Amino acid sequence: MTRKFAYLTLILTITFVISPALTQPFSGFRADQLPIPQIAPPVQPAGYAFAIWGLIYAWLVVSAVFGATKRADDSQWTPARIALIVSLAVGTPWLAIANTSAIWATITIFIMAGGAILALLRAPKTDIWFFAVPVGIYAGWLTAASFVSLGSTAAGYGIVTDQLGWAYLGIIGALGLSVPVLIATRARAYGLTVIWALVAIIVANGMAQWTVSALAAVGILILLGLMTRQSLSARRALS
């Protein structure tokens, strides 16, 4: 059974990576997908930040190939693989879903994020660069992206507040999730990826929406402070 999970992870990683070639490009919800069109919502990072998907795809493939060829019978990988399988299985059709329904895209990206985070929490303690790091980057980006999707969709339906209010709520929500995950995993790859998204939010908003930029900057300081504290704690434990 352990070997089957290894091969299934590899198969789903491949389907996940090739899925963008089989669907229409997605760069945010179209105006006709939401009752209140969301044009450049302030919760959305600058476009360049999405280039991180190239790194995510490549490293997940390396991880899956390594796992299937070198760790196929390693039972320590199994709990993490099961969670990752769920995320990848939902992630494979996600672009097609996002091009069809903002609501279902938001629901499914949270499932993807949940599976990726659980996989990171269960990551094997060895072979960190072949599992915990690539999955950490994947989970970190999905943490940010899930709240971007939520903020855009909720603002698009006029729920509670407008797009500026949902930018605040989205950043706070992403921090509310990423801080405990970072505390639990000490995964710097995860924390740095969330920071990457927050920096891109600052770039996208600049001084035009300085309050959003300021909140994102506070989030960056919180995550950097936490990671610094964890690094110092680890060094003291080794001394």
Side-chain angles (χ1 to χ4, degrees):
M1 185 61 72
T2 300
R3 186 175 288 269
K4 291 180 180 178
F5 285 128
Y7 295 152
L8 184 56
T9 300
L10 176 58
I11 292 169
L12 287 173
T13 299
I14 292 172
T15 62
F16 180 60
V17 169
I18 67 174
S19 63
L22 305 177
T23 58
Q24 294 180 352
F26 178 78
S27 57
F29 298 125
R30 301 186 312 274
D32 63 353
Q33 285 185 272
L34 296 163
I36 304 172
Q38 297 297 293
I39 308 301
V43 73
Q44 185 166 301
Y48 77 86
F50 293 85
I52 198 173
W53 275 114
L55 176 64
I56 292 170
Y57 287 144
W59 215 332
L60 285 178
V61 169
V62 170
S63 173
V65 170
F66 177 85
T69 57
K70 301 295 184 180
R71 298 292 183 268
D73 296 313
D74 191 338
S75 60
Q76 294 184 20
W77 283 55
T78 300
R81 279 174 173 150
I82 293 173
L84 185 58
I85 284 168
V86 172
S87 181
L88 295 172
V90 176
T92 295
W94 188 83
L95 288 174
I97 294 170
N99 280 314
T100 303
S101 169
I103 293 175
W104 279 108
T106 301
I107 292 170
T108 50
I109 200 169
F110 270 96
I111 296 172
M112 290 169 63
I117 289 170
L118 185 57
L120 180 61
L121 290 168
R122 295 176 172 179
K125 303 304 181 184
T126 57
D127 304 311
I128 292 174
W129 289 95
F130 286 102
F131 194 95
V133 171
V135 171
I137 297 171
Y138 174 56
W141 183 252
L142 287 177
T143 296
S146 59
F147 283 96
V148 171
S149 183
L150 175 62
S152 298
T153 302
Y157 279 92
I159 298 173
V160 180
T161 184
D162 59 10
Q163 62 175 206
L164 183 59
W166 273 107
Y168 303 143
L169 292 173
I171 293 171
I172 292 170
L175 288 172
L177 177 57
S178 60
V179 167
V181 172
L182 188 55
I183 290 172
T185 63
R186 293 177 171 263
R188 279 179 288 182
Y190 174 87
L192 289 172
T193 305
V194 177
I195 289 173
W196 169 268
L198 291 173
V199 169
I201 289 175
I202 295 173
V203 172
N205 286 278
M207 292 304 296
Q209 296 289 356
W210 69 269
T211 53
V212 176
S213 297
L215 183 58
V218 170
I220 291 169
L221 291 175
I222 290 172
L223 294 175
L224 285 175
L226 178 56
M227 286 189 290
T228 300
R229 180 180 178 183
Q230 289 176 335
S231 296
L232 292 174
S233 177
R235 289 179 184 177
R236 284 196 296 267
L238 292 173
S239 61

